[in-house]
Amino acid sequence: DLNLVSQKKPLLEGGKGYVELGGNSNTYYYSLTDLRTKGMIRIGNKWVDVIGKSWMDHQWANAPYRKDKWTWFSLQLDNNIEIMIVEYGRLGDKTKLASITYKDNRQTNISKFRITPMGKPWQSPKTKARYPLEWLIELPEVGITLTAKALVKHQEMLYGTVNYWEGPLDISGTVKGK
């Protein structure tokens, strides 16, 4: 039983809410990155009061499934900057997009950045897929350098032909040197 109230205007990924991923895999996509959240959740038979900040993505497309790879982050920073960043596609045919919303509700979109996997990957005992658990995220155009570290390694999402790792992260780094 939650009450979610958006504190910022929707973040339209790519600036228009329409992202061209190559081929027939274009998608509509927006996010509510700063939802003031208050209410209760039930764990077993017990209700627990909760308060915090949430994120909601809405993405839809009329496109066939392709066996592409992606690295995708939705990041909420302590300075009230939120970032959706993705590398999607095959080698040589990648879509790169970072959509950023700032504390003052300004938004920007960039395509020049680096996501570098670091450290030892985790291997799924079920699918044998290997997933990075730490990344260096560099957005030099806007002065942002972050390290993202997985808080839980056993976070593989199994959906038959589409399996991926998704989980909570610890984020540290700098924005314009701070």
Side-chain angles (χ1 to χ4, degrees):
D1 183 16
L2 298 173
N3 184 22
L4 303 145
V5 178
S6 188
Q7 302 302 295
K8 293 182 180 176
K9 64 184 178 183
L11 178 62
L12 303 176
E13 272 74 354
K16 299 176 189 170
Y18 182 76
V19 180
E20 295 182 26
L21 298 174
N24 293 327
S25 293
N26 302 325
T27 181
Y28 294 94
Y29 189 8
Y30 73 90
S31 301
L32 300 177
T33 63
D34 186 358
L35 294 167
R36 185 179 61 226
T37 304
K38 187 175 181 179
M40 299 184 327
I41 60 172
R42 189 172 70 189
I43 302 172
N45 290 327
K46 183 178 178 185
W47 285 92
V48 179
D49 289 326
V50 294
I51 190 167
K53 181 175 176 176
S54 299
W55 179 301
M56 190 229 39
D57 279 336
H58 187 78
Q59 181 180 14
W60 67 102
N62 183 12
Y65 168 71
R66 293 180 2 189
K67 286 198 173 195
D68 286 337
K69 294 189 176 192
W70 64 87
T71 303
W72 206 299
F73 296 94
S74 297
L75 307 172
Q76 294 172 316
L77 306 183
D78 290 342
N79 62 359
N80 212 20
I81 292 174
E82 292 93 30
I83 305 168
M84 188 291 300
I85 185 168
V86 62
E87 287 183 333
Y88 179 90
R90 298 171 286 236
L91 275 165
D93 184 26
K94 279 192 178 178
T95 297
K96 293 178 70 163
L97 172 66
S99 295
I100 305 164
T101 183
Y102 293 92
K103 182 177 184 173
D104 63 4
N105 233 341
R106 283 180 304 115
Q107 297 180 356
T108 190
N109 297 278
I110 61 174
S111 60
K112 293 182 180 175
F113 57 82
R114 289 179 298 280
I115 300 174
T116 308
M118 301 181 348
K120 184 180 176 183
W122 172 74
Q123 184 168 358
S124 165
K126 293 182 181 179
T127 65
K128 305 303 180 207
R130 297 171 64 85
Y131 300 99
L133 296 177
E134 184 176 350
W135 302 263
L136 177 63
I137 302 169
E138 299 169 288
L139 300 98
E141 187 176 326
V142 292
I144 297 175
T145 302
L146 304 170
T147 300
K149 294 181 182 181
L151 293 173
V152 180
K153 62 182 172 181
H154 301 280
Q155 289 288 129
E156 186 178 37
M157 310 302 271
L158 300 172
Y159 295 105
T161 58
V162 180
N163 304 312
Y164 56 92
W165 186 96
E166 180 173 288
L169 302 168
D170 179 58
I171 306 297
S172 61
T174 61
V175 176
K176 296 188 178 179
K178 295 184 179 181

